[in-house]
């Protein structure tokens, strides 16, 4: 591990100032990085993939930034709330099961106790070529160097949102729940707080896979806000083993069903795309319809209509369709 300067945040202003002064770009090999639970940042530093010259420990901001605040018609989650606390919260399990389950099915109990919501959505790809610096050719790590995964082992890689420069999968689970619920971000920066749809946070790789988010230098995520309540929502995750494993394919579904008719439907896909993926064309097929197996299949097919498999990951298209169809079935039939 390389030497780095460690600073403890005293307040949000000091944290963004310290990060901004170092020209921080949160998801590149930036000169300064915020430290939350540290469960992935420290890993990447040990692997020499991330080489920050400075770290700003934002844990002292937890008092203001870790609240779980369910309100009558919305939910606000502080970015420093622990994954385990949010997953175990009664009100969230009842009114936002898609959030509770996306967190409960992620990582391990020990990791969830340490890890924060903000760190979770900012985690980086698990592409093995990205995480192994002995491979020179990784456009995300070394811009312009090529992509070892294109002709390498790409079983875990993306089938949606890829480019000729990168096919790495976005690995997290919680982000799909946020996408399905149209969540907003509260972002704290040098000029105060701004709000942005969560869907605008992650950038598809295009020809700059090294630029992963739209956060500006020095900015921190301070909270997530969800409007409405979504008791009829599910998160279904298919993976190689039932615990402590990233998704091969997952679906976050939120439905509003009245008298058997689907009034509103949201579908987000994980494990199969370069960014948390919203399947809007598939959603449109559900609105105003009564549910049956044929409809579920058409929706699942539409969700993967643009998917492109490679040598080892073509199975994700068939698997992903089944995950969507099953998640829909679960969402329609769940007791609320
Ligand atoms: C073995 C293993 C298995 C895992 N399995 C899963 C899984 O199945 N599903 C899943 O979703 N995740 C999984 N994870 C990832 C895990 O959930 C993340 O490591 C964790 O959520 C990161 O949170 P953290 O608070 O520890 O972040 P940190 O490691 O502290 O930070 C992560 C990144 O986010 C930045 N950051 C942190 N907070 C903020 C903020 N408020 N604003 C802006 N930037 C910020 C940091 O600078 C850093 O770049 C796994 C991890 C491991 C090690
Ligand atoms: S898929 Fe992306 S992260 Fe993986 S080797 Fe290729 S460029 Fe790097």
């Amino acid at each position: 591990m390389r030497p780095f300067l460690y600073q403890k945040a005293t307040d949000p202003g000091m944290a963004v100032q310290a990060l901004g002064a170092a020209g921080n770009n949160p998801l590149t090999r930036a000169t300064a990085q915020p430290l939350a639970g540290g469960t992935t940042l420290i890993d990447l530093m040990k692997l020499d993939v991330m080489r920050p010259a400075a770290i700003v420990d934002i844990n002292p901001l937890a008092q203001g930034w870790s609240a779980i605040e369910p309100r009558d018609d919305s939910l606000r989650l502080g970015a420093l709330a622990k994954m385990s606390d949010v997953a175990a919260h009664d009100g969230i399990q009842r009114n936002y099961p898609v959030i509770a389950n996306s967190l409960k099915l992620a990582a391990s109990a020990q990791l969830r106790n340490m890890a924060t919501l903000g760190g979770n959505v900012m985690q980086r790809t698990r592409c093995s070529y990205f995480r192994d610096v002995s491979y020179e050719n990784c456009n995300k790590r070394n811009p312009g160097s090529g992509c070892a995964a294109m002709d390498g082992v790409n079983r875990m890689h993306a089938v949606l949102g890829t480019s000729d420069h990168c096919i790495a999968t976005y690995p997290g689970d919680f982000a799909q729940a946020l996408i399905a619920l149209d969540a907003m971000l509260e972002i704290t920066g040098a000029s105060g707080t701004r709000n942005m749809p969560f869907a605008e946070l992650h950038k598809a790789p295009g020809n700059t896979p090294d630029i992963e988010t739209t956060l500006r230098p020095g900015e921190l995520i301070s909270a997530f806000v969800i409007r409405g309540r979504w008791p009829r929502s599910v998160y279904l995750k298919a993976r190689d083993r039932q615990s402590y494993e990233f998704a091969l394919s997952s679906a976050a579904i939120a439905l509003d069903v009245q008298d058997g008719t689907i009034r509103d439907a949201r579908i987000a896909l994980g494990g199969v795309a370069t960014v948390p993926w919203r399947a809007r064309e598939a959603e449109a097929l559900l609105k105003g319809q009564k549910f049956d197996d044929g409809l579920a299949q058409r929706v699942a097919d539409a969700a993967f209509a643009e998917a492109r498999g490679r040598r080892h990951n073509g199975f994700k298209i068939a698997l992903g369709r089944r995950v969507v169809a099953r998640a829909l079935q679960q969402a329609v039939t769940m007791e609320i």
Side-chain angles (χ1 to χ4, degrees), residues 5 21 49 51 64 83 88 94-95 101 112 146 152 157 192 198 200-201 207 234 239 243 245 249 252 295 301 306 311:
L5 173 71
V49 172
R51 303 169 182 175
M83 291 170 72
R94 197 170 45 250
N95 294 319
N101 286 331
R112 294 192 294 272
H157 287 72
F198 178 75
E200 292 176 13
L201 176 66
N207 54 14
V234 302
R239 45 189 164 166
S243 177
E245 187 56 280
S249 171
L295 178 60
D301 289 346
E306 306 292 320
R311 186 151 38 136

Side-chain angles (χ1 to χ4, degrees), residues 33-34 36-41 107 116 120 122 173 221 237 245-246:
Q33 287 285 313
T39 60
T40 190
L41 176 60
T116 64
N120 186 273
M122 294 294 283
D173 291 297
I221 299 170
K237 176 174 178 179
E245 187 56 280
F246 291 90

Side-chain angles (χ1 to χ4, degrees), residues 15-100:
V16 296
Q17 198 272 335
L19 291 164
N24 179 52
N25 179 341
L27 285 185
T28 62
R29 285 208 222 180
T31 49
Q33 287 285 313
L35 172 74
T39 60
T40 190
L41 176 60
I42 303 299
D43 257 10
L44 290 170
M45 289 170 67
K46 287 183 185 163
L47 293 170
D48 208 22
V49 172
M50 290 180 79
R51 303 169 182 175
I55 278 185
V56 179
D57 183 346
I58 57 174
N59 287 290
L61 311 181
Q63 205 180 354
W65 284 18
S66 62
I68 301 171
E69 298 175 282
R71 297 167 184 162
D72 284 349
D73 59 351
S74 67
L75 169 68
R76 186 176 182 279
L77 298 168
L80 285 171
K82 300 287 186 189
M83 291 170 72
S84 51
D85 290 338
V86 180
H89 191 282
D90 277 350
I92 291 174
Q93 290 182 359
R94 197 170 45 250
N95 294 319
Y96 307 91
V98 65
I99 291 183

